[in-house]
Amino acid sequence: MNAKVSASGAKADIQRALRVGVIGAGVMGSNHARVLAGLPGVVLVGIVDPLPEHRTRATELVGCRAFESLDELLGEGVDAVTIAAPTHLHHEIALTCIARNIHILVEKPVASTVEEGREIVEAAQRAGVTLMVGHVERFNPAVAAIKQAISGEDILSIGITRVGPFPPRMSNVGVVIDLAVHDIDLIRWFTESDIVEVQPQLSSAVAEREDIALLQFRTASGVLAHINTNWLTPFKARSVTVATRGKYVMGDLLTRQVTECFGFKPDGSYSMRHLPVGHDEPLRAELIAFLDAVRTGKLPAVSGDEGVASLEIAIRCLESPARPAASTARKGPRRVVG
């Protein structure tokens, strides 16, 4: 009898509507609120932002309540939150929510530093709450199709291009943290292997921080990978190529077209086919996955440890000095310009 009551209670808890809040009403946070407001089994309690113009925009877009402070939102009672505030606030906000046993999804990067990220992970583990990191590109249907196409294959190399114009909303980070961290995560996810070697080439052509990055990696499994990213291209481009021993897969993450080359013959001929790709909105799929982990207690799709690992590689790219070629190093005194 008690077992039946317990099982019934667990089932009711899973079916109960989750009270969810959003922290940060910028572009990303407003989109979180929009998606959450339309999900079944979810009560959007509200969105928090200290800026009146952000709160007004979120209210007009979603029609939800908007709060000036985190305490106001938490005072309304929430089961889970998504954190889309500026990165330097992630650590403090996450620890505050975890201390109240609130499940959290933290937008990438998980924190400003690896140490802060690890503190968030450890606090969530101690409290027994769900922690998921918002690497939304994993939920792009084209990325999912690529992942399925290379499953079980012997991967040789991965190439990723993520370029576009300078973003007007950018603040205190460069292209490595803003853009390349997406693809560092994808390389680790595709290969199911850690990145063990990093060879970055960075330049600040227009911005104060790096706005061009050419990054090369080697994984523990021996896969070679590179990322080309910048804020100097007048249009957005997002592409992935994966070479395996049996096939070559090309994906456009914007048009969501994925093509597979296979059946290579000695005369150089081969076959091609377009792979089926879904139509889900990546953010919606991500938030559904997060809420499912909250309801069931299962491991989240992107764990805190994975988020910290990708951040650690991104920071290594920023800290590793470029290696000049010794044979071309200039000899003798330098001419002083000024």
Side-chain angles (χ1 to χ4, degrees), residues 87 108-109 111-112 173-182 210 310-311 314-315 318:
T87 302
K108 66 82 192 169
S112 296
V173 298
V175 292
V176 172
I177 296 297
D178 185 51
L179 298 180
V181 73
H182 280 294
E210 83 286 350
S310 294
L311 172 62
I315 290 176
L318 295 175

Side-chain angles (χ1 to χ4, degrees), residues 240-263:
V240 176
T241 60
V242 182
T244 77
R245 292 198 184 278
K247 61 179 68 172
Y248 187 80
V249 181
M250 303 172 287
D252 187 315
L253 306 190
L254 296 181
T255 64
R256 297 185 183 176
Q257 179 172 315
V258 179
T259 305
E260 180 180 80
C261 304
F262 61 100

Side-chain angles (χ1 to χ4, degrees), residues 36-105:
L36 287 166
L39 292 181
V42 172
V43 174
L44 177 60
V45 177
I47 190 167
V48 177
D49 200 288
L51 299 179
E53 60 270 27
H54 282 188
R55 295 197 300 273
T56 299
R57 180 181 61 193
T59 300
E60 292 175 350
L61 176 67
V62 185
C64 66
R65 296 178 66 187
F67 303 95
E68 185 175 356
S69 72
L70 178 59
D71 285 341
E72 289 180 87
L73 171 68
L74 300 185
E76 294 294 319
V78 293
D79 301 303
V81 297
T82 67
I83 302 174
T87 302
H88 70 276
L89 299 176
H90 286 186
H91 180 254
E92 179 183 356
I93 294 171
L95 293 185
T96 298
C97 294
I98 291 169
R100 299 197 185 195
N101 291 314
I102 295 169
H103 306 283
I104 59 174
L105 180 145

Side-chain angles (χ1 to χ4, degrees), residues 87 108-109 161-183 201-214 227-238 318:
T87 302
K108 66 82 192 169
T161 296
R162 186 179 298 269
V163 298
F166 190 86
R169 64 180 178 85
M170 209 60 252
S171 55
N172 60 345
V173 298
V175 292
V176 172
I177 296 297
D178 185 51
L179 298 180
V181 73
H182 280 294
D183 305 310
Q201 294 290 339
L202 310 176
S203 179
S204 301
V206 177
E208 290 184 9
R209 296 179 181 267
E210 83 286 350
D211 49 22
I212 306 172
L214 301 175
I227 298 171
N228 170 26
T229 187
N230 68 56
W231 281 330
L232 304 180
T233 308
F235 54 86
K236 280 188 176 183
R238 309 279 188 267
L318 295 175

Side-chain angles (χ1 to χ4, degrees), residues 174-196:
V175 292
V176 172
I177 296 297
D178 185 51
L179 298 180
V181 73
H182 280 294
D183 305 310
I184 291 169
D185 177 69
L186 291 185
I187 290 167
R188 298 184 70 257
W189 190 50
F190 285 154
T191 62
E192 299 179 359
S193 179
D194 289 330
I195 292 172
V196 295

